């Protein structure tokens, strides 16, 4: 697809699965750069003693979970930044954390080869999921909350019943470590990606492979995530690029400017009412905010060399972000930094509040 005919993804369509495609006219030639972003630091959350490897807001947005190489997961009040509780029990470092759709349960994935299901409001351990034969690197809840998918260095995807702690299916998915898994918005499709350079779509019901996605260069794939409506996929690859794919497995957007050649960086969609964003950290300690459609860099939050250096940014590779559609996102960084930061764009937050307010 030529640059002049590049697809414009309607922001409303990205965010809401109920919007009909023919109800939104996509201008195939529009290249609006988007409103400049102005995210500012609200909180720096300290307490982890090793790298922060994953951050995830609860679906209703009030709690932020952070997973760390120190083998703990911390739950924070996303407004005040107050530490609510620390989930302890894994014997090795964590790689991922995810929430159930009702914000009641947290699942953590660890190098101790297990996943654990916790009750968020009191920190009680409910289930330990054992079966992986190597490090567990990623996990995801299904939209109904009745399934958890996981992947790891044993190159398989496992599907679990989180309520009973039982293994439902083992999918021999890849020929290298599985770096990310995610469910579509209706829960019918599971996607996985791997250092083997492939993304694969699986039928959730029977585990059949529906499609294999790759590009010509075939770089290792470190991240994959469905858009909120399940119609697009965002992937991260170790060639310093993020790519947006359509349901026909075609790359329709590429985002660059960040550094990503060594670590698995977890990017995020922010489907704000005013415009849609893509946000990612970078191995050079920066955070980049792009307009989803124009691919313009709307804001670059600079990093710094060490904790004593002036500035609000991280002082180590920023490998994880999580975003709320209201104009708030969180970031986490590797060792030497070990902090979680919460960022806010006041204008976007105000626009979200106005959109949510009933008319007078």
């Amino acid at each position: 697809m030529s640059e002049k005919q590049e697809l414009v993804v309607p922001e409303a369509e990205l965010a809401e699965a109920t919007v009909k495609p023919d109800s939104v006219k996509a201008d195939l030639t529009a290249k609006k750069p988007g409103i400049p972003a102005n995210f500012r630091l609200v909180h720096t959350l300290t307490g982890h003693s090793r790298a922060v490897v994953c951050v995830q807001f609860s679906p209703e947005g009030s709690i932020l979970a952070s997973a760390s190489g120190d083998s703990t997961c911390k739950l924070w009040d996303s407004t005040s930044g107050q530490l609510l509780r620390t989930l302890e029990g894994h014997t090795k470092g964590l790689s991922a954390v995810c929430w159930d759709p009702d914000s009641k349960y947290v699942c953590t994935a660890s190098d101790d080869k297990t996943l654990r299901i916790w009750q968020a409001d009191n920190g009680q351990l409910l289930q330990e999921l054992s079966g992986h034969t190597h490090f567990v690197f990623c996990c995801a809840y299904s939209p109904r909350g009745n399934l958890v998918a996981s992947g790891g260095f044993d190159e398989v995807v496992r599907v679990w019943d989180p309520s009973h702690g039982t293994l439902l299916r083992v999918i021999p998915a890849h020929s290298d470590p599985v770096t990310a898994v995610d469910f579509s918005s209706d829960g019918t499709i599971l996607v996985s990606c791997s250092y083997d350079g492939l993304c694969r779509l699986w039928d959730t019901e029977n585990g059949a492979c529906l499609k294999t996605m790759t590009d010509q260069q075939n770089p290792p794939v470190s991240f994959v995530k469905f858009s909120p409506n399940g119609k697009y996929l965002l992937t991260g690859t170790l060639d310093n690029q993020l790519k947006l794919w359509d349901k026909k497995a075609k790359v329709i957007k590429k985002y660059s400017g960040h550094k990503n050649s060594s670590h698995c960086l977890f990017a995020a969609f922010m489907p704000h009412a005013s415009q849609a964003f893509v946000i990612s950290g970078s191995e050079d300690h920066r955070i980049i905010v792009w307009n989803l459609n124009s691919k313009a860099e709307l804001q670059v939050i600079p990093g710094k060399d060490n904790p004593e250096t002036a500035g609000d940014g991280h002082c180590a590779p920023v490998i994880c972000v999580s975003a709320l559609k209201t104009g708030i996102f969180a970031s986490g960084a590797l060792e030497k930094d070990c902090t979680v930061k919460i960022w806010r764009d006041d204008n976007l937050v105000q626009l979200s509040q106005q959109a949510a307010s009933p008319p007078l």
Side-chain angles (χ1 to χ4, degrees), residues 138 140 174 178-183 190-194 198-201 213 221-227 232-237 242-243 245 265-267 269:
C138 52
H174 294 277
V178 179
T179 51
V181 289
D182 195 25
F183 286 93
L190 172 66
V191 66
S192 63
C193 67
S194 169
L198 305 178
C199 284
R200 287 195 162 125
L201 302 177
M213 301 163 50
V221 186
S222 59
F223 161 82
V224 66
K225 186 175 182 63
F226 275 103
S227 64
Y232 305 95
L233 282 166
L234 183 66
T235 62
T237 46
L242 291 166
K243 302 179 182 74
W245 305 69
L265 301 189
F266 293 87
F269 290 104

Side-chain angles (χ1 to χ4, degrees), residues 46-68:
T46 61
H48 284 298
S49 60
R50 300 288 301 275
V52 177
V53 295
C54 186
V55 290
Q56 289 292 333
F57 283 106
S58 58
E60 44 77 40
S62 68
I63 303 176
L64 176 67
S66 59
S68 171

Side-chain angles (χ1 to χ4, degrees), residues 28 59 64 134 146 153 169 178 188 196 206 211 279 284 297 328 340 351 359:
L28 298 181
L64 176 67
H134 212 315
N146 61 324
F153 278 60
R169 182 171 295 112
V178 179
T188 61
D196 64 10
N206 58 28
K211 190 170 294 184
I279 305 173
D284 60 7
E297 289 185 4
I328 295 170
V340 176
L351 289 172

Side-chain angles (χ1 to χ4, degrees), residues 246-317:
D246 65 13
K247 59 185 179 181
K248 297 179 181 179
K250 293 184 178 180
V251 177
I252 58 174
K253 304 281 183 184
K254 292 183 180 180
Y255 309 91
S256 58
H258 63 306
K259 303 297 182 184
N260 184 201
S261 60
S262 302
H263 301 286
C264 292
L265 301 189
F266 293 87
F269 290 104
M270 182 184 284
H272 190 267
S274 66
Q275 62 181 317
F277 302 91
V278 171
I279 305 173
S280 177
S282 178
E283 291 171 2
D284 60 7
H285 311 179
R286 298 178 302 149
I287 300 171
I288 317 294
V289 181
W290 295 270
N291 176 273
L292 181 139
N293 272 313
S294 71
K295 303 173 296 183
E297 289 185 4
L298 302 182
Q299 185 176 2
V300 178
I301 299 174
K304 53 188 182 180
D305 293 331
N306 56 69
E308 291 73 31
T309 304
D312 292 333
H314 289 282
C315 61

Side-chain angles (χ1 to χ4, degrees), residues 146-158:
N146 61 324
L147 300 173
V148 164
S150 61
F153 278 60
D154 55 8
E155 303 172 3
V156 302
V157 171
R158 295 177 186 267

Side-chain angles (χ1 to χ4, degrees), residues 9 22 38 60 79 107 172 191 193 233 254 271 300 319 344 350:
V9 180
D22 58 2
N38 187 26
E60 44 77 40
T79 301
C107 178
V191 66
C193 67
L233 282 166
K254 292 183 180 180
V300 178
I319 66 168
R344 169 189 171 112
Q350 183 178 12

Side-chain angles (χ1 to χ4, degrees), residues 200-211:
R200 287 195 162 125
L201 302 177
W202 310 92
D203 186 298
T204 302
E205 184 175 354
N206 58 28
C209 184
L210 303 175
K211 190 170 294 184

